[in-house]
Amino acid sequence: MTNTGDFRRYSYSSDTSYAIDAFNLSRSSAAPAYTPEPKKELKVRENGKRKSKNQLLQEQRIGFGRTVTIITAAVLVLAMFFGVLYTYAIKNELNYEISRLETQLAVAQSENTRINSELNALVSVSMIDKYAVEELGMSKMQSYQISYIDVSQYKEEHKNAIEYVAEQAAKK
C-alpha cells in the first residue's frame, strides 16, 4: 500500500538508488515526526535610569515633530490622489463632450449631403424645364422666333463715336 501524498519517491526519477529504495517495504508511509523549535523567550529589563524633565520634553518635541511630518505627508498624498481623480473626472467629461460634438457633426454632415442631393435634383435641367412649362405656362422657343443681329455694324458705329469724342476733347 502506498501513500498518495508521498511524492518523495518521484522527485529523483533519474537516481536509480532512490528508485530501488522505493520498493523498500520496511519503510513507513507516515510523515516524519515534527518537532517545533522552541521559541525564544523575551526578557523584559527595566530601565533603572530615570529621565529628567528636559529629556522628556525633548522626546515629546521629537515625537510631535514626527507626528506632524507623518500627517503632512499623508495630507499631501491624499491631495495628490484627489487631484489625480479630479483630472480623470475632467478628462472623462471632455471626452464625453468631444463624442457628443462628433456625433452632432456626423448628423450635420449627413443632413448637408441630403440637402445637397435634394438641391441637385431640383436644379437639374429637366426639373427647370418641367417647372417652366407646368407652373409658368412657358413653351419651348420655335426656330421662327429666333432672330440674329449683326453686331459688326454697331461695333463700327461705336468705334467712330469714340474717335469723334476723342477729337472733340483734343480740340478743346
Side-chain angles (χ1 to χ4, degrees), residues 111-126:
E111 182 70 15
N112 186 25
T113 303
R114 184 190 65 79
I115 291 172
N116 280 337
S117 64
E118 195 175 301
L119 179 66
N120 288 338
L122 291 174
V123 178
S124 68
V125 175
S126 62

Side-chain angles (χ1 to χ4, degrees), residues 66-79:
R66 287 181 183 166
T67 304
V68 168
T69 303
I70 290 171
I71 290 173
T72 304
V75 167
L76 287 176
V77 167
L78 285 174

Side-chain angles (χ1 to χ4, degrees), residues 3-141:
N3 187 352
T4 57
D6 189 8
F7 294 102
R8 289 176 290 168
R9 68 176 131 155
Y10 299 108
S11 63
Y12 300 104
S13 60
S14 62
D15 189 9
T16 56
S17 66
Y18 190 76
I20 292 172
D21 286 339
F23 293 103
N24 187 358
L25 298 178
S26 65
R27 188 182 73 179
S28 168
S29 63
Y34 173 71
T35 54
E37 293 181 16
K39 293 184 179 180
K40 293 182 181 178
E41 299 215 5
L42 298 176
K43 295 180 183 177
V44 177
R45 290 186 298 167
E46 289 187 27
N47 190 358
K49 295 181 183 177
R50 297 189 129 226
K51 294 183 181 179
S52 68
K53 189 173 186 178
N54 287 337
Q55 287 175 333
L56 289 174
L57 287 174
Q58 185 179 6
E59 286 181 5
Q60 282 180 346
R61 283 189 210 118
I62 292 171
F64 181 73
R66 287 181 183 166
T67 304
V68 168
T69 303
I70 290 171
I71 290 173
T72 304
V75 167
L76 287 176
V77 167
L78 285 174
M80 289 174 25
F81 176 71
F82 285 116
V84 168
L85 283 179
Y86 179 74
T87 56
Y88 281 140
I90 295 296
K91 180 183 170 187
N92 192 19
E93 288 177 17
L94 292 176
N95 284 338
Y96 175 75
E97 183 71 18
I98 288 170
S99 174
R100 188 180 61 78
L101 290 175
E102 285 175 347
T103 304
Q104 285 180 351
L105 178 64
V107 168
Q109 286 175 340
S110 66
E111 182 70 15
N112 186 25
T113 303
R114 184 190 65 79
I115 291 172
N116 280 337
S117 64
E118 195 175 301
L119 179 66
N120 288 338
L122 291 174
V123 178
S124 68
V125 175
S126 62
M127 290 299 293
I128 293 172
D129 191 34
K130 181 180 176 183
Y131 181 77
V133 171
E134 292 177 2
E135 299 291 325
L136 300 177
M138 301 173 99
S139 63
K140 289 195 177 199
M141 191 181 300

